[in-house]
């Protein structure tokens, strides 16, 4: 059995930053465990825009940044967490520069910043795509952290209210292993793949850490708050950055109208993601969508009036991505876009945002897997990477402190590992009544159709009913691959189980929130209601998922 002091689950930005921080204590044995290489994580796919209150132009302040974030969240964010976050934003930039991360600068060598949709000042510090993940991974490689990749978490083990360790599947070695640890940071990312039919997220975003935490009694906070990025390329998983809208791109319907004048006449295309995504869907449902060559529907993104050279390279990734992946020259042609599932504001319920601790002693969480209540009902563009760094650092710091102060406990770890080995043997001896691929396909279509941007009691109930059917089909699955080395079927089996659980939690939370707020829009309750200015918490009680409402700040 492997033993570590602190284990970090997840190789994205939050996991890397947590492991780097935990490893500062040279007396501790720290491990980073991830099912993919860090450069293939969501952070590794990012365009690299990050908000920071540097006030280089003299027109910004911490209070203005705070107000923008609160307003963008539809006031569902927790004030104290947002304060901590915005106050740390400048530190994040300084740390990344220490890690040799590249940022765009002007001719005098000063950092350049631009304004993102939803922001009232220029805060976005632009870096090259993939740069952040490379910088963090390089820093990690210069530490003593043990790195285990192609390794999948199967279970978190808790004994008497405290973390004992985890059970993992090591795909390279072909083993199911117990790993004892004193503290654990869960940084496994979001769950966009439950909307696989229309999502920008990598294949590994299956909500693993969130479901594993629910299984040990940790709640899932604000599960219904799923963000759809307005400028997903219609009929594709490709995402164009908010930088396009921030630079002045137009959104046009089939009549050639800049339709955002009907929904947010002041901000227009620079409106927040939730308002823009909802506006696009409304235009399409009203019959003003534009048909693409393969039958896809969307609206037109027009950047032909922009002078590419005047943006000093920060829009190059937008132009290059459109050219390389879609074959469209945005300086001469328009492109069809439609909102795609992009980010999860909800996540693991954090009991103390200053330490990233959950309600189970020894378990911490950070990044998109966690809900720090910084984003509330809608995340502002540029706030994700900063959150990753701020709370990844805090999670690593406090997880290491907990490990230093406590001893290992894990008497039952080997038993749980053996239970998973027996389960694998059972699955490989069992005939399937349905196919894994069909369940995943139906899940994606069900979520997009019924729990997407526009929802209602009818659609939510339809989704929950279909999820029960899919769960029953999942329970009847068997595996055809009996080998444990690089068994992708087994990996997809565990991921699908996690996604079904997360999807049900989203449905339950959406049903409980009888209002419209931020990214959660219900046609039967189209206005925000003060009664629901609360968080939803989905917890597993007596084997069943249940939802409760709790006041802000709790």
């Amino acid at each position: 059995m492997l033993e570590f002091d602190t284990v970090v689950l997840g190789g994205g930005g939050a996991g890397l930053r947590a492991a780097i921080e935990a490893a500062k204590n040279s007396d501790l044995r720290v491990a980073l465990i991830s099912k993919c290489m860090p450069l293939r994580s969501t952070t590794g796919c990012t365009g690299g825009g990050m908000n920071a209150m540097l006030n280089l132009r003299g027109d910004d302040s911490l209070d203005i940044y705070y107000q923008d974030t609160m307003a963008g969240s539809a006031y569902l964010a927790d004030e104290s967490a947002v304060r901590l976050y915005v106050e740390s934003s400048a530190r994040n930039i300084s740390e990344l520069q220490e890690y040799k991360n590249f940022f765009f600068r002007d001719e005098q060598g000063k950092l350049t910043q631009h304004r993102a949709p939803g922001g009232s000042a220029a805060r976005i510090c632009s870096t090259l795509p993939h740069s952040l993940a490379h910088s963090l991974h390089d820093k990690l490689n210069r530490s003593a952290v043990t790195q285990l990749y192609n390794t999948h978490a199967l279970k978190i083990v808790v004994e008497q209210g405290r973390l004992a360790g985890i059970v993992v599947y090591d795909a390279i070695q072909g083993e199911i292993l117990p790993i004892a640890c004193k503290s654990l940071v869960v940084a496994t990312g979001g769950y966009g793949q439950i909307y696989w039919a229309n999502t920008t997220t990598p294949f590994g975003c299956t909500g693993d850490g969130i479901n594993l935490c629910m299984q040990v009694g940790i709640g899932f906070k604000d599960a219904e708050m799923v963000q759809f990025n307005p400028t997903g390329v219609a009929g594709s998983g490709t995402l164009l950055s908010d930088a396009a809208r921030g630079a002045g791109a137009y959104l046009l319907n089939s009549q050639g109208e800049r339709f955002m004048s009907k929904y947010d006449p002041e901000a227009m295309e620079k409106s927040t993601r939730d308002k823009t995504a909802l506006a696009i869907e409304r235009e399409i449902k009203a019959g003003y969508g534009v048909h693409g060559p393969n039958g896809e529907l969307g609206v037109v993104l027009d950047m032909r009036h922009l002078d590419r050279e005047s943006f000093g390279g920060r829009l190059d990734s937008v132009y290059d991505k459109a050219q390389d992946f879609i074959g469209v020259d945005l300086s001469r042609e328009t492109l069809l876009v439609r909102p795609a599932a992009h980010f999860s504001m909800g996540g693991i319920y954090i009991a103390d945002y200053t330490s990233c601790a959950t309600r189970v002693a020894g378990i911490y969480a950070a990044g998109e897997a966690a809900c720090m209540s910084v984003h509330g009902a809608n995340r502002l563009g540029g706030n994700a990477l900063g959150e990753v760094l701020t709370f990844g650092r805090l999670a690593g710091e406090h997880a290491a402190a907990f490990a230093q102060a406590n001893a290992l406990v894990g008497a039952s770890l080997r038993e749980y590992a053996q239970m998973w080995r027996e389960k694998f043997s059972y699955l490989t001896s069992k005939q399937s009544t349905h196919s894994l691929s069909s369940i995943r396909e139906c899940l994606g279509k069900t979520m997009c159709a019924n729990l997407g941007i526009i929802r209602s009691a009818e659609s939510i109930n339809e989704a929950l009913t279909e999820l029960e059917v899919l769960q029953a089909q999942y329970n009847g699955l068997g595996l055809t691959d009996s080998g444990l080395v690089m068994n992708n079927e087994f990996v997809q089996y565990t991921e699908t189980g996690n996604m079904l659980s997360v999807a049900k939690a989203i449905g339950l939370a959406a049903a409980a929130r009888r209002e419209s707020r931020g990214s959660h829009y219900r046609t039967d309750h189209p206005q925000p209601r003060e009664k629901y200015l609360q968080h939803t918490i989905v917890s597993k009680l007596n084997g069943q998922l249940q939802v409760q409402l709790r006041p802000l700040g709790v």
Side-chain angles (χ1 to χ4, degrees):
M1 180 168 65
L2 296 175
E3 293 185 359
F4 296 99
D5 295 296
T6 297
V7 167
V8 178
L9 274 182
L16 289 169
R17 187 62 189 86
I20 290 167
E21 193 67 24
K24 287 182 178 179
N25 188 327
S26 59
D27 295 331
L28 298 181
R29 299 162 299 170
V30 179
L32 178 74
I33 296 175
S34 177
K35 62 184 183 181
C36 71
M37 282 289 293
L39 304 184
R40 294 176 57 200
S41 68
T42 305
T43 302
C45 299
T46 183
M50 183 188 312
N51 281 323
M53 208 301 290
L54 304 180
N55 200 23
L56 299 179
R57 300 182 182 182
D59 61 349
D60 201 6
S61 70
L62 289 173
D63 192 59
I64 295 173
Y65 187 9
Y66 163 81
Q67 293 293 343
D68 284 348
T69 302
M70 290 299 298
S73 78
Y75 297 97
L76 194 67
D78 288 340
E79 295 180 5
S80 297
V82 174
R83 288 282 186 192
L84 185 153
Y85 166 67
V86 301
E87 289 169 2
S88 70
S89 61
R91 173 178 177 172
N92 293 332
I93 300 300
S94 297
E95 285 186 346
L96 285 176
Q97 291 183 98
E98 290 176 10
Y99 299 166
K100 311 303 181 185
N101 189 80
F102 169 87
F103 287 101
F104 283 96
R105 298 174 181 272
D106 61 20
E107 293 179 355
Q108 286 73 44
K110 295 182 179 180
L111 285 172
T112 58
Q113 290 185 289
H114 63 274
R115 179 179 168 184
S120 57
R123 300 191 189 100
I124 290 283
C125 298
S126 295
T127 183
L128 293 172
H130 320 300
S131 175
L132 177 60
H134 278 275
S135 299
L136 291 171
H137 191 228
D138 180 64
K139 178 68 174 178
L140 183 78
N141 286 337
R142 286 181 274 129
S143 72
V145 174
T146 299
Q147 301 177 49
L148 302 174
Y149 300 129
N150 285 300
T151 302
H152 307 259
L154 301 176
K155 184 174 180 59
I156 297 173
V157 179
V158 173
E159 294 181 1
Q160 298 180 344
R162 186 183 144 191
L163 173 74
I166 57 176
V167 175
V168 302
Y169 164 51
D170 182 336
I172 294 178
Q173 300 299 322
E175 295 179 324
I176 293 175
L177 301 169
I179 298 179
C181 55
K182 302 172 185 177
S183 62
L184 176 71
V185 178
V186 182
T188 50
Y191 44 82
Q193 282 297 307
I194 65 172
Y195 292 91
W196 76 267
N198 185 28
T199 183
T200 68
T201 60
F203 291 125
C205 293
T206 52
D208 304 341
I210 295 172
N211 185 45
L212 291 178
C213 283
M214 281 199 291
Q215 302 307 313
V216 294
I218 301 172
F220 183 1
K221 188 175 186 179
D222 294 339
E224 73 278 19
M225 297 303 178
V226 180
Q227 183 175 82
F228 283 69
N229 193 297
T231 48
V233 177
S236 166
T238 304
L239 173 70
L240 295 185
S241 166
D242 281 337
R245 291 190 297 125
Y250 296 155
L251 291 173
L252 310 172
N253 62 18
S254 61
Q255 307 301 305
E257 300 171 328
R258 290 179 66 189
F259 56 87
M260 284 305 297
S261 61
K262 295 184 286 186
Y263 303 97
D264 193 343
E266 183 176 347
M268 294 293 286
E269 287 88 357
K270 295 180 182 180
S271 185
T272 54
R273 288 176 175 176
D274 57 333
K275 293 177 183 177
T276 309
L278 179 59
I280 292 172
E281 287 302 300
R282 281 177 159 177
E283 289 293 298
I284 291 172
K285 288 185 179 296
Y288 298 119
V290 179
H291 288 274
N294 298 313
E296 65 271 23
L297 264 174
V299 298
V300 170
L301 177 79
D302 190 351
M303 298 178 65
R304 292 174 297 177
H305 58 287
L306 301 179
D307 177 11
R308 177 175 179 175
E309 300 303 320
S310 68
F311 292 97
R314 66 178 175 84
L315 281 183
D316 284 353
S317 65
V318 175
Y319 287 99
D320 292 346
K321 187 176 288 187
Q323 181 67 60
D324 294 344
F325 289 92
I326 315 299
V328 170
D329 180 358
L330 287 175
S331 64
R332 300 180 180 182
E333 304 170 88
T334 61
L335 183 65
L336 207 60
V337 297
R338 187 168 187 175
H342 178 63
F343 186 84
S344 48
M345 279 74 72
I348 297 163
Y349 183 17
I350 301 299
D352 178 9
Y353 65 88
T354 64
S355 66
C356 303
T358 69
R359 295 188 178 276
V360 175
I363 301 180
Y364 302 78
E368 195 175 349
C371 183
M372 298 297 170
S373 294
V374 166
H375 308 304
N378 174 64
R379 175 175 71 77
L380 293 184
N383 270 0
L385 294 179
E387 183 210 7
V388 156
L389 296 170
T390 295
F391 295 104
R393 172 177 57 81
L394 289 172
E397 174 189 343
H398 288 276
F402 184 92
Q404 192 169 34
N406 290 274
L408 284 170
V409 295
S412 60
L413 272 170
R414 286 188 173 87
E415 295 176 17
Y416 282 106
Q418 182 58 30
M419 288 170 60
W420 264 100
R421 295 185 193 108
E422 292 172 358
K423 181 175 182 177
F424 177 80
S425 296
Y426 169 72
L427 290 170
T428 58
S429 67
K430 179 182 176 184
Q431 290 288 330
S432 283
T433 54
H434 293 83
S435 76
L436 185 59
S437 60
S438 68
I439 293 173
R440 291 181 77 134
E441 181 177 2
C442 289
L443 172 62
K445 291 180 178 179
T446 294
M447 295 300 290
C448 286
N450 299 303
L451 280 167
I453 296 172
I454 297 176
R455 306 164 177 181
S456 66
E458 182 180 1
S459 74
I460 294 168
N461 288 333
E462 185 173 337
L464 288 171
T465 299
E466 180 63 22
L467 288 171
E468 289 297 324
V469 173
L470 294 178
Q471 185 65 57
Q473 293 177 1
Y474 177 80
N475 294 341
L477 287 177
L479 300 179
T480 59
D481 186 349
S482 60
L484 267 172
V485 175
M486 299 301 293
N487 190 328
N488 189 54
E489 185 186 20
F490 180 46
V491 170
Q492 292 202 29
Y493 171 83
T494 61
E495 289 178 334
T496 302
N498 291 329
M499 287 193 289
L500 287 170
S501 182
V502 167
K504 183 174 181 178
I506 292 172
L508 293 173
R513 187 176 291 281
R514 297 183 180 92
E515 66 161 357
S516 292
R517 184 178 299 278
S519 298
H520 173 72
Y521 180 77
R522 287 185 56 159
T523 56
D524 50 347
H525 297 288
Q527 299 299 323
R529 299 169 64 187
E530 187 174 353
K531 173 183 177 181
Y532 292 100
L533 193 54
Q534 299 186 71
H535 296 298
T536 57
I537 310 293
V538 180
S539 303
K540 190 168 187 178
L541 302 171
N542 301 319
Q544 298 294 322
L545 294 181
Q546 300 179 22
V547 61
Q548 297 175 312
L549 294 176
R550 292 191 181 174
L552 300 186
V554 176

